[in-house]
Each structure stands twice: as structure tokens, then as C-alpha cells.
Amino acid sequence: MSSLSSARLRRSIALHLFLTPLALIWLFPLWMMVVFSTMPDNGIFSPGIELLPHGNFVDNFNNLQRDTNFVGAIGISVSVAVTYTFLSVLLTSMAGWALARYQFFGKGVVVAIIFGTITLPYAVVLIPQFIMVARDFQLANTWVALIVPPLFNSLGVLFMRQSFSMMPDDLFDAARVEGVKEWRIFVFVALPLARPMLAALAIILFLASWNNYLWPLLINSQPGSMTAPVALGTLIGLTKVSWGGIMAGAVMLTVPMLIVFVLLQRHFIAGIAAGAVK
């Protein structure tokens, strides 16, 4: 028993010795982003390598806020991301439930089409989507245009389909025998069982909406309706680039997400593992 424990200890030490340098390599650019956010613009491109923070973060943030109203842009990003995540998780769960539990004509074709959409680059549908939303529906510069077009997530539908397919049929059959309606089975039986998968999907969708840049840039041209990534992009001008403000804004966008992921990583990993194994 002791030899087995010592072997596990050696493997653990070797694994940590291998992974620790990789983790430091991954964290180094994030640390340099924090350092650059505390430096003036002329100091960022100085010949020497600075590894310790300076004292200009407040000045950089004040310049960022003056140029972009970044606090308001963060509020828009939070509102859009939360609304998008809730609606997308709901819709993808409903679609995944239908594909996993119901038999209907053309089901295989629908699944094949959903699989096919994953292979399409986003650039293929970007321009037609923009023309339809902005010209045909006249929804440019609205929250509806920011939230509704990306709602359908093919990967989320397939992920929830797999999750619901893992659940025992007897559980739902017993509920139907008791006279429970289908929507109640979905809401009060299936969704609670899929809570880890829903949490993982919600994290993925929230981060996707939080980091989305191209679609909000195209569909919202008014300064007062920009999301935070688009607001940061406006600091890159033809003759001047406010690197200190960009770094300060990037820190404010990145650090909270890292903290949330670290706090919820157990649920995220559990959900991914549960949804990937049948």
C-alpha cells in the first residue's frame, strides 16, 4: 500500500513539474497586460522590459472613460450577455429535448443540418444576416439585433441533445403514466437532472457573447449602444492609439471572467464530462 502511495506521489510531482511551466507560459501574457495597463502610452514601447506594475492605471482608465464611456459599455455588455445566455440556454435545451426524446418525420435530416451548420464559417452567414436584420427588418442599433440573431447555437443544441439522451427513459415514462404533462416533465424533471450540463453551456454562451466583437460592430453604429469590446476598438485611430486605455479596458474585461471561471470551473468540467460521455 505504501509503495502504491509513493508511486502516486511521484506521478503527481512529475505532473506538476511538467504543467507548472506551461501554466506560467499561459499566464505571462495576461500578467503583461496588467503591467501595460498601469503604464503610460510612451512607456509601453520603451526598450526595457518591465515586469512590475506602475501607477498609471487610474489615469489610463479615466482617459478610457472619457473617450468611450466604458462603464456604460460594460453595462450594455453585461445586460446583453445575461439576456442572450438565458434565452439561448432555454432555446437550445428545448431543441435538444425534442431531438433526444421525440420521434418525428425528418428528425435525421434536422440533426444532419445542425451538424452541417457547425462546419460553416461565420463569415459565410455574416453579410446575409446583416442585410436581413438591418435592411429588411430595420433593427439596426437595437438590443434585439444584438441578442436575437445569434440565439440559435448548433453546438449547444447537440450538447443538450446528448445530455438528455443519457437520461433513463423509465424516469420520464413513469411521469407520463402518472399523467404529468410534457412541459412539466421537461421543466421539473429533465432540466434539474441536466443542471451540470446547463451550467457548462451557460458559461460557454456567456463568454461567447461577452467577447463577441464582429457582429456588434456591424449592427450597432451609435456610440451610446456599443458593447465593451467595440468601445475598446474605437481607441484605435488613424493617427493615435490609446494603448494604455486599451490595456486598462482589457484588464477590466478579462479579470472578472477569469475569476468567475476559476470559481465555477468544477461545475464547468463536470458539465462537459457529463455531456460528453454516454
Side-chain angles (χ1 to χ4, degrees):
M1 189 67 178
S2 59
S3 60
L4 181 60
S5 300
S6 60
R8 289 179 177 176
L9 178 61
R10 288 194 298 270
R11 285 197 299 268
S12 178
I13 293 174
L15 182 62
H16 281 78
L17 289 176
F18 174 73
L19 292 179
T20 299
L22 296 180
L24 292 176
I25 292 173
W26 182 82
L27 290 173
F28 182 73
L30 298 178
W31 173 250
M32 292 308 301
M33 178 181 66
V34 174
V35 173
F36 288 154
S37 70
T38 64
M39 299 173 63
D41 289 345
N42 56 2
I44 293 177
F45 295 99
S46 61
I49 299 177
E50 299 286 345
L51 297 178
L52 297 178
H54 291 237
N56 286 81
F57 182 85
V58 175
D59 293 336
N60 290 333
F61 175 76
N62 289 335
N63 294 333
L64 172 66
Q65 178 65 20
R66 182 195 63 215
D67 295 336
T68 65
N69 187 22
F70 195 68
V71 173
I74 288 180
I76 294 174
S77 288
V78 171
S79 301
V80 169
V82 170
T83 306
Y84 165 79
T85 301
F86 173 78
L87 293 177
S88 188
V89 167
L90 179 62
L91 292 177
T92 53
S93 299
M94 294 170 64
W97 171 258
L99 292 174
R101 291 296 169 179
Y102 298 142
Q103 298 297 327
F104 53 88
F105 177 76
K107 176 181 174 180
V109 176
V110 173
V111 174
I113 292 174
I114 295 175
F115 269 108
T117 58
I118 297 179
T119 64
L120 288 176
Y122 182 58
V124 173
V125 300
L126 181 63
I127 299 304
Q129 179 176 283
F130 172 77
I131 293 174
M132 181 177 63
V133 173
R135 186 190 66 185
D136 299 337
F137 294 156
Q138 300 293 319
L139 291 175
N141 298 308
T142 64
W143 282 39
V144 175
L146 282 175
I147 297 172
V148 173
L151 275 182
F152 181 79
N153 187 279
S154 301
L155 187 61
V157 172
L158 297 175
F159 181 70
M160 293 310 301
R161 171 178 173 266
Q162 176 68 16
S163 301
F164 290 129
S165 298
M166 295 165 49
M167 299 179 184
D169 296 333
D170 296 341
L171 182 63
F172 305 116
D173 293 338
R176 294 187 180 98
V177 170
E178 294 294 329
V180 180
K181 296 183 178 180
E182 289 295 323
W183 71 269
R184 294 181 66 88
I185 294 176
F186 172 68
V187 173
F188 296 107
V189 180
L191 288 184
L193 290 176
R195 191 176 302 162
M197 288 75 80
L198 291 173
L201 180 61
I203 294 173
I204 294 173
L205 293 177
F206 183 88
L207 291 178
S209 178
W210 183 262
N211 294 320
N212 193 9
Y213 176 78
L214 186 55
W215 176 248
L217 175 66
L218 288 178
I219 202 63
N220 273 8
S221 58
Q222 295 180 354
S225 59
M226 290 181 178
T227 58
V230 177
L232 277 184
T234 61
L235 296 179
I236 302 177
L238 295 177
T239 59
K240 179 183 177 182
V241 179
S242 179
W243 292 111
I246 291 175
M247 292 296 104
V251 168
M252 294 188 63
L253 291 179
T254 303
V255 172
M257 293 300 101
L258 287 177
I259 294 175
V260 169
F261 180 78
V262 169
L263 294 177
L264 300 178
Q265 63 176 330
R266 181 166 56 184
H267 303 284
F268 177 77
I269 296 173
I272 292 294
V277 180
K278 184 175 180 180

